[in-house]
Amino acid sequence: MDYDAMDGLEDIGPRVTVREAAKSSVGFVLTNVDLAFANSLRRIILAEVPTMAIDLVEVEANTSVLADEFIAHRLGLIPLNSKDVDSILYTRDCDCEQYCDNCSITLTLHARCTSNEIMKIYARDLVIGSVTPNDQIGRPVISDAEGLGSVIGKLRQGQELRMKCIAKKGIAKEHAKWAPTSAVGFEYDPHNKLRHLDLWYEDDPIKEWPKSKNAEWEEPPLEGAPFNYDAQPSEFYFDVESIGNLEPDAVIQQGIKVMQQKLAAVIQELTGDEGRGGDVEYEPRSPGAMNGGTAGDYGGGIEGGYTTPYGNGGNASAWGGGGQTPYGATPYGQNNGWAA
């Protein structure tokens, strides 16, 4: 074997350099890829990594000053631990009518104030009431020093709150409550050598536009150097901050997995294999898009709810009337009503 021919093979393909890592954040440099690939990974991390979040709330008693819908919205935004989320099915892939232990996790909330002082209800008061694949998934993320979690509401003497919460698996493209990250920092060409940015300034652009910390990883441009019109960005700086439901490295790994699934589905379509996905189980839909669903479950039916131009010409959703596109009805459909 010609070992000399193998020199430099380590530079072929994507390369990741981890700059800093913490419990809830990670910073790394992605090289040997183009801008489209790096930006695709960023968008997938933001919107298509599956997590768990409360999606249905059954109100049994609420004598607080807050409306049922207000509390339900607050409950949905409480981050839940999503470790080993692949062990939970999407509701659309489950054989149950609405939810079961295979596609959801049930949490209960019961609080009653019996004293003269105001009683605060925290995320820690949510109790898991169903069988879970492990002892972590579905539990509220609590990161404060007191171990209380997010504030859900307050009760005066005699007021009571009793609710049953159903957490389901979903993605942030459907609703922000399924977002795995609070922010994803993304930058390339910190010195603006490629001149992709036209910086507006009054007097001095160097003083008015200070360089980011990423500029330390690249050489500054030489004064008077000719502009290279064929230059392309090759180094991309990521700063991923998790909200706690997944570890930051798990968020990135899940993002890569989702990208692989999407590319595999495209390849199968281009090669003419039967079926839209073949063996690839990736179809971004809402948790309620299941057989036997209702309009309150984001459209109901496996072809209901949000659809793409490839999804049976575009179907109705729960967001009211909509127009026509070259592919059929827009994702906004014609059905009225609110999603649960």
Side-chain angles (χ1 to χ4, degrees):
M1 178 179 291
D2 186 3
Y3 290 97
D4 293 337
M6 298 182 64
D7 292 342
L9 283 181
E10 64 274 8
D11 293 332
I12 298 177
R15 184 177 181 179
V16 176
T17 303
V18 178
R19 300 189 297 178
E20 54 185 354
K23 182 178 180 181
S24 60
S25 62
V26 62
F28 63 94
V29 183
L30 179 63
T31 57
N32 292 346
V33 298
D34 59 11
L35 177 58
F37 182 94
N39 191 48
S40 297
L41 179 61
R42 178 191 68 87
R43 290 169 61 92
I44 289 175
I45 290 175
L46 278 171
E48 299 192 51
V49 172
T51 62
M52 298 296 296
I54 293 175
D55 192 47
L56 299 175
V57 177
E58 299 177 2
V59 181
E60 299 177 4
N62 178 22
T63 56
S64 69
V65 296
L66 301 178
D68 295 349
E69 295 83 0
F70 188 93
I71 298 178
H73 184 262
R74 294 181 66 89
L75 290 170
L77 294 177
I78 294 176
L80 303 179
N81 192 302
S82 301
K83 181 180 180 180
D84 194 21
V85 71
D86 290 337
S87 60
I88 301 292
L89 296 175
Y90 284 104
T91 303
R92 64 173 183 269
D93 298 327
C94 192
D95 296 330
C96 65
E97 294 185 359
Q98 191 174 23
Y99 60 85
C100 66
D101 290 343
N102 295 326
C103 64
S104 66
I105 296 176
T106 302
L107 299 96
T108 58
L109 176 63
H110 187 195
R112 181 181 177 85
C113 181
T114 57
S115 66
N116 294 327
E117 298 182 356
I118 296 177
M119 174 183 178
K120 294 183 179 180
I121 307 172
Y122 296 95
R124 69 171 183 180
D125 298 320
L126 288 167
V127 180
I128 295 180
S130 62
V131 179
T132 58
N134 56 66
D135 59 351
Q136 296 295 325
I137 190 169
R139 297 186 180 278
V141 175
I142 299 176
S143 57
D144 58 297
E146 294 78 12
L148 301 175
S150 306
V151 177
I152 299 174
K154 300 179 182 180
L155 298 179
R156 295 293 297 270
Q157 185 176 17
Q159 294 180 342
E160 181 183 10
L161 198 62
R162 187 168 67 251
M163 295 181 170
K164 180 179 179 181
C165 310
I166 310 300
K168 294 186 178 182
K169 179 180 175 180
I171 58 177
K173 181 183 286 187
E174 181 66 29
H175 195 287
K177 64 186 176 184
W178 280 295
T181 60
S182 56
V184 177
F186 177 76
E187 186 183 19
Y188 67 92
D189 188 25
H191 292 288
N192 200 25
K193 297 178 183 178
L194 303 176
R195 302 181 187 175
H196 287 184
L197 294 177
D198 186 11
L199 303 177
W200 181 91
Y201 64 93
E202 293 182 346
D203 299 316
D204 188 354
I206 297 178
K207 294 181 179 179
E208 297 175 23
W209 293 92
K211 303 298 181 183
S212 68
K213 64 178 183 179
N214 300 322
E216 301 174 359
W217 287 70
E218 294 187 14
E219 293 293 332
L222 299 176
E223 186 176 356
F227 179 71
N228 184 3
Y229 289 91
D230 297 325
Q232 296 291 334
S234 60
E235 295 186 356
F236 304 92
Y237 305 94
F238 283 80
D239 291 288
V240 179
E241 183 178 346
S242 170
I243 63 172
N245 49 10
L246 287 173
E247 296 179 350
D249 59 332
V251 173
I252 299 170
Q253 292 173 6
Q254 285 285 345
I256 295 173
K257 178 181 178 181
V258 171
M259 179 181 286
Q260 290 174 332
Q261 292 172 335
K262 291 167 74 73
L263 292 174
V266 171
I267 292 173
Q268 286 189 330
E269 289 287 348
L270 295 177
T271 55
D273 292 348
E274 294 184 359
R276 284 188 294 170
D279 296 331
V280 180
E281 297 181 357
Y282 182 79
E283 273 189 356
R285 289 179 181 268
S286 61
M290 58 185 179
N291 291 325
T294 63
D297 293 323
Y298 294 101
I302 193 64
E303 292 298 338
Y306 177 80
T307 59
T308 67
Y310 308 99
N312 197 23
N315 285 334
S317 75
W319 301 105
Q324 293 288 327
T325 71
Y327 304 101
T330 64
Y332 302 98
Q334 286 84 28
N335 290 339
N336 294 322
W338 291 98

